[in-house]
């Protein structure tokens, strides 16, 4: 099956620093990747949609200058949380759609837990 | 616009009992529907999906769901609960064939507890 990895799995940083999270599709090419955020005991909320080689599309209320997304290749997307603050502490999950199955299936990464002190 | 409503934020069943997790959706275009399971501190695992083929969909771990257009429902069932089924379950919808938006809209989730 299609595998999506995320790195790191857990990160603790000081307020004001930037954190980069990587999302990789390991055995397929991902035309589209999605970034979600999940607060404790809540559902996943879509932050942005990322297509390879183009600018990400952000959901309403998500600051594009704070959450920088780069989708440089068909197997890698990165989310950078710039000048992180404690309220950015959350579980960040990426997903990827393959060229083959398209919109029928999203494959999810294991998530990255961010704690900002 | 699309939305998902999961009735019951917490469902508790006894081991061996029927599991029924409810999901109703709203979609302006024919939908794709999904059930995902999430174990603590982990990502999401796809249980099953409906993509406009058979309305009764069988998934992994003995789960199945039936797409009922007239009721706009996609309830998840399993005949006999196992302790390992205890987890959070999310129903999700996306635009189906002919639609252009691939992102998933998730319900709020239902936490399933299984009592011995």
């Amino acid at each position: 099956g299609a595998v999506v990895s995320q790195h790191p799995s857990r990160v603790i940083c000081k307020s004001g620093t930037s954190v980069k999270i990587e999302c990789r599709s390991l055995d397929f090419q991902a035309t589209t990747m999605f970034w979600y955020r999940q607060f404790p005991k809540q559902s996943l909320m879509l932050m942005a949609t990322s297509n390879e080689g183009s600018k990400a599309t952000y959901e309403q209320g998500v600051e594009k200058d704070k959450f920088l997304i780069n989708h440089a290749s068909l197997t890698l997307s990165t989310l950078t949380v710039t000048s992180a603050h404690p309220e950015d502490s959350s579980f960040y999950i990426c997903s990827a759609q393959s060229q083959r199955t398209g919109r029928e299936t999203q494959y999810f990464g294991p998530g990255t837990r961010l704690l900002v002190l | 616009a699309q939305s998902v409503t999961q009735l019951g934020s917490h469902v508790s069943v006894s081991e061996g009992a029927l599991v029924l997790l409810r999901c109703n959706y709203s979609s302006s275009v024919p939908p794709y529907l999904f059930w995902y399971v999430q174990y603590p501190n982990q990502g999401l695992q796809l249980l099953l999906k409906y993509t406009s083929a058979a309305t009764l969909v069988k998934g992994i771990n003995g789960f199945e769901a039936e797409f009922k257009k007239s009721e706009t429902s996609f309830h998840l069932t399993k005949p006999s609960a196992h302790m390992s089924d205890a987890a959070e379950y999310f129903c999700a919808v996306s635009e189906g064939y002919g639609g252009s938006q691939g992102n998933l809209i998730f319900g709020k989730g239902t936490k399933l507890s299984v009592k011995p």
Side-chain angles (χ1 to χ4, degrees):
Chain A
V3 178
V4 175
S5 70
Q6 281 185 242
H7 178 80
S9 58
R10 181 184 296 266
V11 57
I12 301 173
C13 68
K14 292 182 178 180
S15 183
T17 60
S18 294
V19 175
K20 179 185 283 189
I21 302 170
E22 290 186 349
C23 176
R24 292 182 185 272
S25 56
L26 298 185
D27 50 2
F28 67 98
Q29 293 187 321
T31 49
T32 304
M33 287 184 169
F34 301 90
W35 287 96
Y36 296 85
R37 181 168 52 186
Q38 185 181 30
F39 290 107
K41 301 187 186 302
Q42 295 188 29
S43 188
L44 281 75
M45 299 300 294
L46 179 68
M47 298 176 66
T49 302
S50 168
N51 291 295
E52 185 264 339
S54 61
K55 290 184 178 181
T57 301
Y58 290 81
E59 294 300 299
Q60 193 171 13
V62 177
E63 301 174 58
K64 61 180 181 181
D65 294 330
K66 181 172 184 62
F67 298 99
L68 301 179
I69 292 174
N70 186 297
H71 193 161
S73 76
L74 285 173
T75 59
L76 174 64
S77 177
T78 60
L79 168 67
T80 301
V81 183
T82 62
S83 186
H85 291 285
E87 58 265 29
D88 298 323
S89 299
S90 187
F91 194 46
Y92 292 86
I93 305 176
C94 73
S95 70
Q97 288 179 347
S98 77
Q99 285 181 318
R100 184 177 61 84
T101 56
R103 293 184 294 107
E104 288 189 7
T105 305
Q106 284 188 29
Y107 302 97
F108 282 81
T112 296
R113 187 162 298 284
L114 170 64
L115 177 61
V116 184
L117 302 177
Chain B
Q2 298 176 303
S3 65
V4 173
T5 302
Q6 289 184 241
L7 296 176
S9 59
H10 192 183
V11 171
S12 181
V13 301
S14 297
E15 191 174 19
L18 170 72
V19 175
L20 171 61
L21 304 182
R22 299 177 186 274
C23 172
N24 288 87
Y25 71 92
S26 172
S27 180
S28 56
V29 299
Y32 288 161
L33 293 159
F34 307 82
W35 275 100
Y36 287 89
V37 61
Q38 184 180 35
Y39 296 98
N41 297 310
Q42 295 187 28
L44 274 68
Q45 181 182 7
L46 179 67
L47 279 176
L48 49 80
K49 62 180 179 180
Y50 165 77
T51 56
S52 71
T55 57
L56 181 61
V57 181
K58 294 186 184 298
I60 62 172
N61 302 339
F63 285 94
E64 64 180 40
E66 186 172 7
F67 171 67
K68 293 186 176 180
K69 183 178 179 180
S70 61
E71 299 177 7
T72 60
S73 68
F74 190 58
H75 302 330
L76 181 71
T77 61
K78 181 174 180 177
S80 177
H82 193 272
M83 296 296 290
S84 60
D85 295 327
E88 188 92 23
Y89 291 81
F90 291 96
C91 181
V93 64
S94 71
E95 290 188 1
Y97 180 77
S100 61
Q101 299 298 316
N103 57 286
L104 291 168
I105 305 299
F106 285 88
K108 293 184 181 297
T110 298
K111 184 176 181 179
L112 175 66
S113 299
V114 182
K115 298 175 290 185

